[in-house]
Amino acid sequence: MTADLIHFFTHNWLGQAIVILAQCLAVTIPLLVAVAYMTYVDRKVWASIQLRRGPNVVGPFGLLQPLADGLKLLLKETIVPSSANGVLFIIAPMIAFMTALIAWAVVPFDDGWVIADINVGILYLFAISSLGVYGIIIAGWASNSKYAFLGALRSAAQMVSYEVSIGFVLITVLLCVGSLNLSKVVLAQSGWFFNWFWLPLLPMFVIFFVSALAETSRTPFDLPMSEAELVQGFQTEYSSMPFALFFLGEYANMILLSALCAVLFLGGWLSPIPYAPFTWVPGVVWFALKIAFLLFVFSWTKGTLPRYRYDQLMRLGWKVFLPVSLAWVVITAAVLQFGGWVPKL
Amino acid sequence: MILQALAFYVFAFVVMASAAMVVVSRNPVYSVLFLILAFFNAAALFVLIGAEFIAMILIIVYVGAVAVLFLFVVMMLDINLTELREGFLKYLPVGALIGLVLLAEILLGLGVIGSTPSSLGALGKAGPQVLAIDNTRAIGRVLYTQYFYLFQVAGLVLLVAMIGAIVLTLRTRPGVRRQRISEQLYRPKGDAVTVVKVPTRGGV
C-alpha cells in the first residue's frame, strides 16, 4: 500500500503534479502569513521608535490588525479611472505581487528543503527581481495620470540603476562559491558565524543591503511613492484589492531580499556556532531568525532616516556603488587566484 | 513525460501567439508587452530542453534590460497610431520574404530539407543530454579558453558602441549649475555658517 502510494507520487504524472502543487502551497501560505504580519511588525517597530503604541485595539496586542486591514481592503470598491487602460490597470498589481512570490521557488529553507534545486538559482533570482519593475511601469502608464507616470518613471530608473550593483555583488559571491546553486552558496559558508560571507565581503554586504532598500523602494529611497510630492506615486489611482496587491507585493519583496541576503551573506540555514546545542535547532528556525533580523533593520531604517533627493540617489547608485562593487569583483578574483583559494569546481 | 509535453505545448503556443500579437496589435505599448511575453515563454522552452543558463540570460538581458528601455521609449513617445498603420501593407511583401528566408535557413540548418533521412534521425537526438557538467560551466569553459579572443573582441565592440552612445548624447550646455559633492564636503564651517549675536529688540 505505502509502496503503491510512493510509486504514485514519484512516477505517475498526476501524482507528481499533486506533489508540485503541495510544495508550492507549503511555501506560499506561510509566506503570505509572514507578509501580513510583517505589516504589523513594521507598524509596531515604527511606533516604538516614535514612542507610540502602534496597533493595539483589534485582538490581543493588536494581533488581528493585519486581518482586519485585509478584510477592509477586500470589501472596498475597486475603482478603475475612466481614462485608464482597463486591462493593464488590473494586470499591473498582479504582476507586481506574483514576481515577489515566484522567486521563492529556489530559496533553500534547510538542507534540501527547496522546491526547485536548480543550478542557476542566483541567476533565476536576479532575473525575477529585474521583473518587479514591470508591474510598476505598467501601473504608471495604465493609470493615465501624471503623478502615477512620474512615480513609475522614477521607480523604473531607480530599480534599473541599483540592479547593476546587485549584479556585481552576486558575481563576487559566486566567485567565492564556484556555483550558482543557492544550496551550495550556503554550504560554502559552513563553519562559525565569522566564516559566513558577511565578514570577508563586508563592503559587498553593505552595498547589497542598501541596494535592497533601493530595490524595494523603502525609506531613504522611497521616491517612487513619495507622498509629499507625488501623492503616492504609481499607486495614486489604485484602491481596494489592487492597492492591497501592490502593498503586499512590496512587503513580499522585502522578505525575499532579506532571505536572499541571509542566504548570500549570513549563511542561510546554518547555525552561528557549529556545536551541539546550537546545531539541534532546525535550520529553518535559524533561517527565519536571520530574515527576521534583516527585516527589523528594514523597519528601523524606515523609522530613522529621511528621504534622499533624486539626484543624490542616482549619484549613490552610479558613482559610488557601481565603481566600488566593480572594483571589489576584480579584487576578490585576484585574491582568490593569488591566494590559492579558488573554489574547487 | 506528460507534464513536460503539456508544458512544452503551452509555452510553444504562447510564444507563437504573442509573437503574432507583437506584429498585429494596434498599440505599440501592447506590442512591447507581447514581446516580453514571447521572450518569457522562449526562456521557458530553453529550460525545458535543459539550457537553463541561456534561459536566465535571455530573461536578465532582454526582459530585464532591453525591453524596459523599449517600453520607456514607446511610452514617452507621442505616437500617432493611424500613421503607424499606413506602411503595413507596403512593407508586408518585404517582411514576408525575410520571414521565408529565415525559415528556410532554420530548416537547412536543422537538416530537415536538402539532406538525407539519416540526418533527420540526428535531429531527434538534439534533445537534452545528461551531461556530467552543468551548462553554465560548459559555456564558461568554451568561452574563456577556445573563444577567448573572440570574447574579448565582442567586449571591445560593446565598448565602442558605449563610447559612441555617450559621444552622441553628451552635451555641455553653458550656464548650467552643477553640483560638486567633493567641494561641498570640503567647504569649511566658516564659509557656510556665521554666528550673529542679535541684540534684544535690535534685529539683525
Side-chain angles (χ1 to χ4, degrees), chain A:
Chain A
M1 185 59 204
T2 353
D4 276 355
L5 264 181
I6 291 171
H7 184 83
F8 174 71
F9 283 123
T10 49
H11 288 84
N12 192 308
W13 66 272
L14 191 68
Q16 287 173 347
I18 291 172
V19 169
I20 294 172
L21 203 66
Q23 284 176 330
C24 295
L25 287 179
V27 171
T28 316
I29 291 172
L31 181 66
L32 290 178
V33 174
V35 166
Y37 277 90
M38 185 58 211
T39 62
Y40 169 80
V41 171
D42 233 6
R43 291 164 71 180
K44 277 288 189 191
V45 170
W46 302 335
S48 307
I49 287 173
Q50 297 162 355
L51 301 179
R52 292 185 288 115
R53 280 171 189 252
N56 63 348
V57 175
V58 192
F61 309 105
L63 274 172
L64 297 178
Q65 186 69 42
L67 301 181
D69 286 345
L71 200 65
K72 184 196 80 173
L73 285 167
L74 195 69
L75 293 177
K76 281 200 164 186
E77 185 192 355
T78 307
I79 300 168
V80 181
S82 57
S83 61
N85 185 320
V87 181
L88 290 182
F89 188 80
I90 298 296
I91 287 180
M94 296 182 191
I95 295 175
F97 188 58
M98 203 187 60
T99 51
L101 290 187
I102 56 176
W104 285 88
V106 295
V107 175
F109 294 90
D110 200 339
D111 203 357
W113 285 28
V114 48
I115 295 181
D117 195 18
I118 56 175
N119 284 328
V120 286
I122 292 182
L123 286 181
Y124 174 82
L125 277 176
F126 191 53
I128 297 301
S129 76
S130 67
L131 296 179
V133 68
Y134 279 107
I136 292 169
I137 302 189
I138 293 173
W141 184 77
S143 300
N144 212 348
S145 143
K146 54 188 141 192
Y147 295 122
F149 194 55
L150 280 175
L153 288 182
R154 274 187 183 183
S155 174
Q158 174 179 330
M159 284 178 145
V160 170
S161 316
Y162 280 84
E163 237 149 53
V164 183
S165 47
I166 285 190
F168 281 120
V169 173
L170 294 181
I171 290 176
T172 356
V173 171
L174 65 93
L175 273 177
C176 299
V177 177
S179 171
L180 290 163
N181 186 315
L182 286 170
S183 303
K184 285 188 184 148
V185 172
V186 173
L187 290 174
Q189 306 176 48
S190 50
W192 284 80
F193 60 92
F194 46 77
N195 276 5
W196 301 345
F197 286 149
W198 68 272
L199 191 60
L201 300 175
L202 189 61
M204 292 292 101
F205 177 52
V206 174
I207 287 182
F208 185 85
F209 189 77
V210 178
S211 301
L213 285 176
E215 193 76 3
T216 48
S217 34
R218 288 284 285 194
T219 279
F221 310 105
D222 65 343
L223 289 125
M225 48 189 61
S226 47
E227 68 281 352
E229 23 180 326
L230 285 181
V231 192
Q232 197 43 249
F234 61 91
Q235 294 176 347
T236 306
E237 307 292 338
Y238 281 91
S239 61
S240 128
M241 221 40 213
F243 170 77
L245 282 183
F246 270 125
F247 190 70
L248 297 179
E250 194 185 307
Y251 275 90
N253 243 329
M254 266 167 49
I255 300 180
L256 173 70
L257 279 166
S258 303
L260 187 55
C261 201
V263 167
L264 293 176
F265 293 103
L266 297 180
W269 68 77
L270 300 171
S271 75
I273 299 165
Y275 291 107
F278 297 97
T279 45
W280 292 341
V281 179
V284 193
V285 176
W286 285 120
F287 190 51
L289 280 176
K290 287 166 188 173
I291 295 179
F293 169 71
L294 289 168
L295 285 173
F296 169 71
V297 183
F298 266 83
S299 303
W300 185 11
T301 44
K302 181 151 185 169
T304 314
L305 296 176
R307 185 179 300 141
Y308 254 86
R309 213 172 55 206
Y310 194 67
D311 60 319
Q312 292 173 331
L313 172 106
M314 283 296 156
R315 178 177 166 272
L316 183 69
W318 289 105
K319 292 189 178 171
V320 180
F321 281 2
L322 182 60
V324 169
S325 52
L326 189 57
W328 204 264
V329 169
V330 178
I331 293 169
T332 311
V335 167
L336 288 176
Q337 178 68 35
F338 295 113
W341 291 313
V342 180
K344 300 275 184 300
L345 290 180

Side-chain angles (χ1 to χ4, degrees), chain B residues 145-190:
Chain B
T145 52
Q146 208 172 339
Y147 297 108
F148 181 69
Y149 291 109
L150 289 176
F151 182 68
Q152 293 277 312
V153 169
L156 278 180
V157 171
L158 282 177
L159 182 66
V160 170
M162 200 168 90
I163 293 171
I166 292 171
V167 168
L168 284 177
T169 51
L170 186 69
R171 288 174 298 170
T172 42
R173 276 175 295 185
V176 178
R177 286 169 168 244
R178 283 190 181 281
Q179 185 183 22
R180 292 194 188 80
I181 304 285
S182 54
E183 277 181 22
Q184 288 181 346
L185 292 178
Y186 280 119
R187 199 168 163 206
K189 190 181 166 192

Side-chain angles (χ1 to χ4, degrees), chain B residues 15-150:
Chain B
V15 170
M16 299 308 290
S18 51
M21 288 305 290
V22 173
V23 186
V24 177
S25 68
R26 304 188 67 83
N27 190 333
V29 174
Y30 287 174
S31 289
V32 178
L33 292 176
F34 275 117
L35 185 67
I36 294 162
L37 191 61
F39 281 146
F40 243 103
N41 286 279
L45 288 176
F46 274 129
V47 171
L48 280 185
I49 60 166
E52 71 264 7
F53 183 74
I54 300 179
M56 293 307 145
I57 293 297
L58 182 73
I59 292 183
I60 292 170
V61 174
Y62 284 93
V63 181
V66 175
V68 173
L69 297 181
F70 269 11
L71 207 56
F72 252 50
V73 171
V74 170
M75 281 177 178
M76 306 267 264
L77 287 180
D78 187 22
I79 299 170
N80 192 339
L81 295 179
T82 47
E83 262 177 41
L84 211 66
R85 284 289 124 193
E86 273 173 9
F88 186 70
L89 279 179
K90 200 169 74 182
Y91 296 122
L92 189 61
V94 185
L97 191 69
I98 294 175
L100 276 178
V101 169
L102 286 178
L103 183 66
E105 275 180 358
I106 290 173
L107 292 181
L108 276 173
L110 288 175
V112 178
I113 48 172
S115 58
T116 54
S118 61
S119 63
L120 266 178
L123 182 63
K125 287 178 197 144
Q129 293 166 339
V130 185
L131 294 172
I133 53 171
D134 52 84
N135 60 51
T136 315
R137 203 158 290 168
I139 289 174
R141 279 189 185 163
V142 178
L143 201 60
Y144 292 108
T145 52
Q146 208 172 339
Y147 297 108
F148 181 69
Y149 291 109
L150 289 176

